[in-house]
Amino acid sequence: MRGSGVDVTAPARGNGQHVLVIVHDSAVAELLTTTLELADYRVAVARTGTQGMARLAEHRFDLVIMDVSVPDIEELGEGRRFRPADRPPVLFLAEYEKLGLLVPELGLGESDYVTVPFRISEVLTRAHVLLRGRGSARQGPCYGDLVLDDATCQARRGRRALDLTPAEYRLLRHLLVNAERVLSKEQICRHVWGETRAGNAIEKLVSRLRHKVDQEQPPLIHTRRGFGYQLGR
């Protein structure tokens, strides 16, 4: 389970990775969510094993942080239906006397643990180490079946490759890194072109990108009138 030789000198920060926190206690969930977001992770929360399994079925996560005392934890045993390459590593939060519950049949891939009560710095360090081992497998940001490969600047939705221009790729990546957040036209302009452009330039770019991305259901790119654009379900 626990590997040796943790590099405590490595910066315990993320790079936009998507983390699922499965914690029943609302105060602990809020602490982890706030800290992880400040460390540049994107965070989703589930309060039970059933909710966690539903989240894992809907989205691809880079890491799961899970309290072993969550209700119906056995539901996560269904994780065995995921292909090995799709199984995120899991960081368990467990009281010392409950370490025996960290069973391999959870099937979520690589794992480590932090004993409760935990130090938030150790959680960040262990998360960083688990994710570092998957750096080569994760080429770029993703959301559900929408995946980017930063090594080749290619994107795909499911099995369909998306033929994107450089500006479309930059826009899609910016939307993905900020998934489920509304981005203004000004924010998008600065990221895509490094300068302000007329509003209709953004509208045309988003329209072309939406036409390429949203051929499948559900549509992912949405206009929030008066605010900007958002990628999400």
Side-chain angles (χ1 to χ4, degrees):
M1 280 278 249
R2 182 183 289 272
S4 59
V6 175
D7 181 7
V8 296
T9 65
R13 293 187 60 83
N15 187 27
Q17 295 101 322
H18 208 168
V19 179
L20 175 62
V21 172
I22 307 177
V23 174
H24 184 63
D25 186 283
S26 58
V28 175
E30 183 176 357
L31 170 64
L32 289 170
T33 299
T34 301
T35 304
L36 289 165
E37 288 181 343
L38 287 172
D40 203 21
Y41 294 100
R42 291 182 293 145
V43 184
V45 177
R47 296 298 177 85
T48 66
T50 299
Q51 292 178 2
M53 195 64 239
R55 290 277 195 172
L56 286 167
E58 292 172 355
H59 304 291
R60 176 183 289 180
F61 290 92
D62 300 293
L63 175 70
V64 174
I65 298 177
M66 183 176 67
D67 184 347
V68 299
S69 64
V70 295
D72 59 6
I73 191 174
E74 65 277 1
E75 289 293 325
L76 287 166
E78 295 297 320
R80 284 175 289 180
R81 71 186 181 185
F82 294 105
R83 297 178 303 167
D86 293 333
R87 295 173 183 168
V90 57
L91 178 63
F92 293 104
L93 308 177
E95 297 177 9
Y96 182 80
E97 58 270 22
K98 293 183 178 180
L99 292 179
L101 295 177
L102 310 188
V103 290
E105 48 267 32
L106 282 171
L108 288 172
E110 296 179 77
S111 59
D112 199 347
Y113 69 88
V114 173
T115 55
V116 176
F118 58 82
R119 291 179 300 166
I120 197 66
S121 60
E122 186 176 4
V123 172
L124 290 174
T125 298
R126 294 289 173 186
H128 176 76
V129 171
L130 283 170
L131 287 165
R132 185 177 60 189
R134 292 172 62 87
S136 59
R138 185 180 186 276
Q139 296 297 324
C142 60
Y143 188 94
D145 61 350
L146 179 60
V147 181
L148 267 61
D149 185 338
D150 286 339
T152 61
C153 293
Q154 298 293 317
R156 69 177 188 274
R157 183 157 188 197
R159 296 185 177 181
R160 181 173 61 87
L162 308 180
D163 183 18
L164 303 181
T165 66
E168 290 167 352
Y169 186 88
R170 289 194 296 272
L171 170 58
L172 181 57
R173 194 183 194 288
H174 194 44
L175 289 170
L176 274 169
V177 169
N178 295 279
E180 299 181 357
R181 298 177 181 175
V182 177
L183 299 177
S184 68
K185 291 182 179 180
E186 291 76 14
Q187 289 174 311
I188 293 173
C189 274
R190 288 197 299 269
H191 183 82
V192 175
W193 293 300
E195 61 183 9
T196 302
R197 295 201 178 186
N200 63 345
I202 286 294
E203 292 171 3
K204 291 178 180 178
L205 180 63
V206 171
S207 178
R208 293 198 305 268
L209 181 62
R210 181 185 282 129
H211 177 73
K212 295 179 180 181
V213 171
D214 286 344
Q215 294 182 21
E216 291 85 2
Q217 292 294 320
L220 296 179
I221 299 175
H222 308 284
T223 301
R224 302 303 184 199
R225 298 198 179 279
F227 296 97
Y229 300 96
Q230 178 184 33
L231 186 143
R233 295 182 185 277

